[in-house]
Amino acid sequence: PWEANEASLPAEEEEMQQHLSHLEGLVGMEIDDRAKGSLLRMSSSQGKLALRKVEDIIQEQGGFCHNLSSMVQSVCRKMGNSSRQWA
């Protein structure tokens, strides 16, 4: 979904995509369509918050991430269940 409209993305969505690209480069892997879908179902501000949380977790683990897709989905799911938990 992002690739089709890159030129016309709202600024917040573009920031979210750039942050995601940064994370993918940081850990050397791309997220799968399910994880991307989890992000897309959130508002842009929630998605950006989720990516910041994922980055925090990666930093806490010394820059290592075994499965970025799983981590993104887990954070999105937790935010969906209890948005106050991550605020």
Side-chain angles (χ1 to χ4, degrees), residues 60-77:
E60 289 170 12
Q61 296 177 165
F64 177 77
C65 174
H66 181 69
N67 187 333
L68 184 60
S69 294
S70 176
M71 190 179 290
V72 168
Q73 285 183 277
S74 176
V75 169
C76 289
R77 189 169 43 252

Side-chain angles (χ1 to χ4, degrees), residues 5-6 13 19 24 28 30 32 39 61 64 74:
N5 297 344
E6 273 190 36
E13 284 187 33
H19 195 169
E24 289 175 334
E30 293 183 7
D32 60 24
L39 279 172
Q61 296 177 165
F64 177 77
S74 176

Side-chain angles (χ1 to χ4, degrees), residues 26-27 54-65 71:
L26 187 69
V27 299
V54 168
E55 185 167 17
D56 289 346
I57 294 168
I58 292 169
Q59 296 301 332
E60 289 170 12
Q61 296 177 165
F64 177 77
C65 174
M71 190 179 290

Side-chain angles (χ1 to χ4, degrees), residues 12 15-16 19-20 22-23 26 39 44-60 71-72 75-76 79 86-87:
E12 280 201 336
E15 283 179 40
M16 191 167 66
H19 195 169
L20 177 58
H22 165 74
L23 288 177
L26 187 69
L39 279 172
S44 295
S45 58
Q46 279 188 311
K48 288 177 0 184
L49 179 62
L51 291 176
R52 280 196 297 273
K53 181 62 183 169
V54 168
E55 185 167 17
D56 289 346
I57 294 168
I58 292 169
Q59 296 301 332
E60 289 170 12
M71 190 179 290
V72 168
V75 169
C76 289
M79 287 181 68
W86 302 102

